[in-house]
Amino acid sequence: MPFGTSEPESAAMTLQALLTTLLITAATACHAALDAQRILEASDAVRNPGRPFSVTVALTEFQAGKRVDASTMVTYTRTLTQDAQFATLVRFTSPARDAGKLMLKNGQDLWFYDPSTKASVRLSPQQRLLGQASNGDVVTVNLARDYKASLLAEEEIQDGDRKTRRTYKLELTAAVDDATYGRIELWVGADNNWPLKGRFFADSGRLLKTVFYRRFAVEMGTERPTELVIIDGINPASVTLMRLSEYTARNIPVGWFQRDYLPRFQPE
Amino acid sequence: MLTLHRSQVLLASLALAASFSVLAADPDISALDLKPELAEKSAAPGRKLFVEGAVGRADQRYGLGSRTISRASVDFRDSGRLSPSIQATLSARVDATDPDDPRIDGAVLSLREAFIGWQDETASYLAELGRVNLRDGPGYGYNPTDFFRDQALRTLTTVNPFTLRENRMGTVMLRAQRLWPDASLSVVLAPKLESRRSSAGFNADFGATNARSRASVALSNRWSEKVNTQFLVYKEDSASVRFGGSLTALVSQAAVLHAEGAWGREPDLLSRALGLAAPATSRSRLAAGLTYTTESKLSITAEVQYNGFALGRDQWLAQVQPNPLVQAAYYLKSQDLQDNAGRQSWLLYAVQRDLGVKGLDLTALVKVNRNDHSRMLWLDLRHRFDQVDLALQLLRNTGVGGSEFGVIPIRDSVGLVATFYF
């Protein structure tokens, strides 16, 4: 009987030690999870101004390094509910063929409106992915609302501006049924919470796209990414560059974000 | 020693070269060298102008042989704010076709919209005055709740229901709307302005759209992110009240359901076509469909359509098929009212985006009249360039003599369409 302790006492101490260890482990895990979620929230705040705004989005699409398409749109964004979900109205401005067309996204309430036909057509999320506007969600999406974050590692990566950055690598798993992606890997700047790189996966585990956030500049009072490099997950030779400019705080009425307003929308 | 040194250097060089080649081959890294284009600035964000030319060859029925067909169109639309709360819209189109429309002299102007709009700064109260192209109903090929659709087309330039809507004229009306975050209530008053349609090419043709006084009330609701409904009440001079309802629903991440129906008391379509004083009876019109989109950018819509005022098979066999004059009157009336000639029809509409090549789209449309078993097939293979669309279009109308699609003079046609955007 070493150390003069009885067997029951020893068992109790072992159990106590085990419980303490478990508690510490659980607390540490809990703390890490909390931190990861806070990092994600801070990263969201870098991308998303905290008030209604508009931004001009220019998309240039490349195939094997060759430009194959370009389009420009203005997005009007605000939150409508307490749960901080963004609603977005996209107005296409170029090419001329698409000028004036609108796309409304309010959660899964998706509509496409063409002023030529006066038709408002409800879209499925899958249908929306056919168009370039689908890339808009890598800008104005509140990831902390839809995903649960965990800290995978601290890593040094090369960011979109080819600078080496120390980052937190987060793993985001869908926390709501209507989350667009099954899983996301997100690299966030360790010193400034900048979102630097993301890998977006489907429910099946297939890589849908890799996104680099770069050219950070002061817009609406905070340094935000003004350019995104979006690389197709299946065909990496398919690359879309997204340039964000003219961030403008706006008074955007709630009424803009419903189907019956679309035929009445007038650009400034 | 020296040899060892050289091999070390060689190995190091090889390792370095390999790492560089891996780096160069990494598409994620090479993508970072790409430069974006600057956003295009538009001086008039609400303006759209395009010119379209089409030429083709048609194989005709009735021993008319084949002939060349052609069309030239100019399409203009502009809308903008005159002040923060006042907006103006002007939208028009001119079509010159060969063969031309015998009912109208020369090129045909379609003044689609010309109105002034007002809305308060919270977009809660809105009003419009002028010719407004009001369109209701989620149906793809048939819209029973679209009460302002009849006589809205001056001329037909395509069979694609979506493109047809681009030619459609609005109705002169006063429209007021109240918007809430999840609902909308609108009231429309459209006065009678003229009694007769115009045969002049360059004419606003208020006799087509405002030949009688009309009024409607529409209430729309968003019940959830996945379900929307609309209920309508419509009344026009010397006719009973009509009621309508529609629904759209997201049924999965890839599928959308739509349905609409209208109910009212009217004379049947054949009586209206022949100008007979038939009693009004209560019947309904319905359309319901499902749109499914695949990951490979294929979107397919299947729609069933029902028109209780159109002829069933037995009536068609007895009253329409034997008489060419009745055929002409019946089908022209259904075309004029944008109403289905068959009591039961179905539609298949499919769009394949980026068919093997970026910017190449294929659209296919099949419409079948289930009562006379005639059918129409339309294909559009289109390449979208920056400022130009080039399309190859094929049309085939099949059916026995006197049927909806068997009566149309053009049996087959093939054409090239070029659209230039400015």
Side-chain angles (χ1 to χ4, degrees):
Chain A
M1 194 68 52
F3 311 114
T5 52
S6 67
E7 197 166 322
E9 279 175 338
S10 173
M13 282 183 70
T14 308
L15 186 63
Q16 196 173 22
L18 183 64
L19 280 172
T20 306
T21 308
L22 281 173
L23 278 172
I24 290 169
T25 308
T28 308
C30 195
H31 184 67
L34 189 67
D35 280 350
Q37 201 66 23
R38 281 187 179 166
I39 293 167
L40 181 60
E41 286 169 10
S43 164
D44 278 346
V46 172
R47 280 185 298 106
N48 304 320
R51 53 199 160 131
F53 70 101
S54 68
V55 61
T56 299
V57 181
L59 296 167
T60 315
E61 202 174 333
F62 297 86
Q63 197 67 44
K66 186 184 164 199
R67 174 205 176 279
V68 291
D69 206 1
S71 56
T72 310
M73 59 201 76
V74 178
T75 68
Y76 303 86
T77 303
R78 64 165 292 163
T79 54
L80 296 181
T81 52
Q82 297 294 327
D83 63 359
Q85 176 175 272
F86 283 100
T88 302
L89 181 64
V90 179
R91 174 171 65 85
F92 296 84
T93 57
S94 77
R97 170 193 308 104
D98 297 324
K101 293 176 182 174
L102 302 173
M103 201 202 71
L104 168 64
K105 180 179 186 292
N106 183 5
Q108 299 214 55
D109 197 18
L110 299 166
W111 294 89
F112 176 77
Y113 174 76
D114 184 347
S116 300
T117 61
K118 312 296 284 185
S120 300
V121 180
R122 181 188 273 279
L123 303 179
S124 62
Q126 181 74 37
Q127 214 166 352
R128 184 178 65 96
L129 292 176
L130 303 189
Q132 275 292 9
S134 66
N135 283 319
D137 65 6
V138 296
V139 189
T140 50
V141 61
N142 198 331
L143 296 174
R145 173 190 170 273
D146 293 348
Y147 298 88
K148 185 175 182 302
S150 58
L151 187 60
L152 284 185
E154 286 190 42
E155 280 185 6
E156 281 198 346
I157 66 161
Q158 191 181 50
D159 70 6
D161 295 313
R162 294 183 181 282
K163 289 178 186 160
T164 302
R165 302 265 192 185
R166 194 168 64 83
T167 67
Y168 296 121
K169 182 183 178 184
L170 306 182
E171 182 178 60
L172 280 51
T173 50
V176 294
D177 290 339
D178 60 350
T180 309
Y181 307 99
R183 186 172 73 86
I184 300 170
E185 291 173 359
L186 188 69
W187 285 262
V188 178
D191 52 348
N192 52 19
N193 294 316
W194 286 2
L196 296 173
K197 179 182 175 183
R199 280 157 56 88
F200 298 78
F201 297 86
D203 288 336
S204 62
R206 195 185 77 188
L207 176 64
L208 293 173
K209 55 191 163 197
T210 301
V211 179
F212 286 92
Y213 302 81
R214 68 181 186 184
R215 296 190 197 284
F216 283 74
V218 175
E219 296 282 359
M220 289 181 69
T222 305
E223 281 189 289
R224 306 183 193 280
T226 62
E227 196 169 295
L228 278 65
V229 183
I230 303 164
I231 302 157
D232 190 275
I234 299 169
N235 175 16
S238 176
V239 178
T240 300
L241 294 195
M242 177 184 286
R243 172 163 282 189
L244 307 164
S245 60
E246 299 175 335
Y247 274 91
T248 309
R250 284 185 184 280
N251 176 25
I252 302 176
V254 174
W256 284 24
F257 299 95
Q258 66 150 303
R259 177 194 67 172
D260 289 278
Y261 183 74
L262 297 178
R264 316 270 103 74
F265 178 84
Q266 292 285 356
E268 306 75 15
Chain B
M1 188 71 183
L2 189 63
T3 309
L4 185 66
H5 225 78
R6 277 183 178 162
S7 67
Q8 275 180 327
V9 170
L10 185 64
L11 279 172
S13 303
L14 283 172
L16 199 61
S19 68
F20 272 123
S21 68
V22 166
L23 200 63
D26 184 346
D28 286 5
I29 299 302
S30 58
L32 300 178
D33 294 330
L34 299 172
K35 301 281 183 241
E37 291 182 7
L38 295 176
E40 280 190 32
K41 289 260 185 188
S42 173
R47 185 172 300 163
K48 186 174 182 180
L49 171 66
F50 68 83
V51 175
E52 195 165 77
V55 64
R57 196 79 188 156
D59 175 32
Q60 302 177 102
R61 294 192 171 95
Y62 312 115
L64 296 172
S66 66
R67 64 160 296 163
T68 300
I69 52 175
S70 61
R71 175 173 58 84
S73 305
V74 180
D75 194 298
F76 173 78
R77 176 186 164 82
D78 198 5
S79 66
R81 294 190 184 196
L82 304 179
S83 75
S85 59
I86 305 286
Q87 310 91 39
T89 297
L90 178 66
S91 173
R93 178 183 173 103
V94 177
D95 293 288
T97 57
D98 179 26
D100 60 359
D101 189 329
R103 298 170 301 176
I104 301 175
D105 304 324
V108 180
L109 166 74
S110 299
L111 178 62
R112 293 176 299 206
E113 291 193 296
F115 68 87
I116 298 285
W118 169 88
Q119 53 185 273
D120 71 341
E121 64 179 17
T122 62
S124 300
Y125 296 91
L126 305 96
E128 288 160 348
L129 178 64
R131 178 171 254 179
V132 180
N133 195 348
L134 180 67
R135 183 183 168 273
D136 288 305
Y140 272 54
Y142 186 46
N143 295 110
T145 62
D146 188 15
F147 293 123
F148 290 87
R149 72 184 183 280
D150 57 329
Q151 300 188 50
L153 285 171
R154 291 205 83 198
T155 188
L156 294 178
T157 58
T158 175
V159 295
N160 182 354
F162 276 90
T163 314
L164 266 185
R165 289 167 191 155
E166 294 183 10
N167 300 17
R168 169 182 159 150
M169 294 186 297
T171 301
V172 178
M173 64 175 65
L174 171 64
R175 180 177 182 278
Q177 184 176 20
R178 173 76 167 96
L179 271 175
W180 295 273
D182 291 317
S184 163
L185 178 68
S186 65
V187 178
V188 170
L189 297 172
K192 176 180 178 177
L193 297 177
E194 285 181 25
S195 298
R196 301 176 68 85
R197 298 186 70 167
S198 171
S199 61
F202 275 73
N203 189 289
D205 204 2
F206 295 122
T209 57
N210 290 77
R212 66 263 194 231
S213 298
R214 304 194 266 184
S216 78
V217 178
L219 174 66
S220 301
N221 282 88
R222 176 182 183 266
W223 299 102
S224 72
E225 289 184 4
K226 298 181 178 179
V227 179
N228 269 73
T229 58
Q230 186 178 46
F231 297 98
L232 305 99
V233 180
Y234 170 86
K235 175 81 172 76
E236 66 179 43
D237 279 348
S238 310
S240 301
V241 175
R242 287 190 239 167
F243 301 93
S246 66
L247 170 143
T248 64
L250 179 68
V251 293
S252 77
Q253 290 297 298
V256 170
L257 174 78
H258 68 264
E260 61 175 302
W263 177 88
R265 289 177 62 82
E266 292 173 45
D268 64 87
L269 184 57
L270 182 62
S271 300
R272 293 179 72 178
L274 300 177
L276 303 175
T281 53
S282 298
R283 295 178 196 176
S284 57
R285 296 179 173 91
L286 301 165
L290 187 81
T291 300
Y292 185 82
T293 305
T294 70
E295 287 188 8
S296 59
K297 298 189 174 183
L298 173 64
S299 189
I300 301 176
T301 300
E303 185 175 88
V304 291
Q305 304 168 352
Y306 174 81
N307 180 7
F309 295 94
L311 298 176
R313 180 165 180 80
D314 292 344
Q315 294 163 302
W316 171 74
L317 281 170
Q319 299 176 57
V320 173
Q321 198 189 25
N323 191 329
L325 290 176
V326 175
Q327 290 167 19
Y330 184 71
Y331 294 123
L332 281 174
K333 191 67 177 178
S334 78
Q335 192 181 80
D336 199 34
L337 299 178
Q338 295 196 67
D339 208 8
N340 271 0
R343 187 167 292 175
Q344 289 118 348
S345 305
W346 60 261
L347 175 94
L348 200 63
Y349 189 85
V351 180
Q352 174 66 63
R353 303 269 295 185
D354 298 333
L355 182 67
V357 181
K358 174 77 183 169
L360 183 66
D361 299 342
L362 177 65
T363 303
L365 166 70
V366 180
K367 185 172 181 183
V368 175
N369 180 327
R370 286 189 57 206
N371 301 111
D372 62 22
H373 307 301
S374 66
R375 66 186 61 200
M376 184 240 314
L377 167 67
W378 181 78
L379 295 172
D380 178 291
L381 183 65
R382 178 173 299 262
H383 197 290
R384 293 172 281 115
F385 299 93
D386 280 352
Q387 301 289 328
V388 180
D389 279 6
L390 288 178
L392 171 69
Q393 294 184 340
L394 303 172
L395 173 68
R396 166 161 285 190
N397 291 306
T398 55
V400 298
S403 62
E404 181 179 2
F405 298 109
V407 79
I408 296 172
I410 293 178
R411 182 188 292 119
D412 295 291
S413 72
V414 56
L416 286 171
V417 182
T419 310
F420 301 87
Y421 297 93
F422 299 95

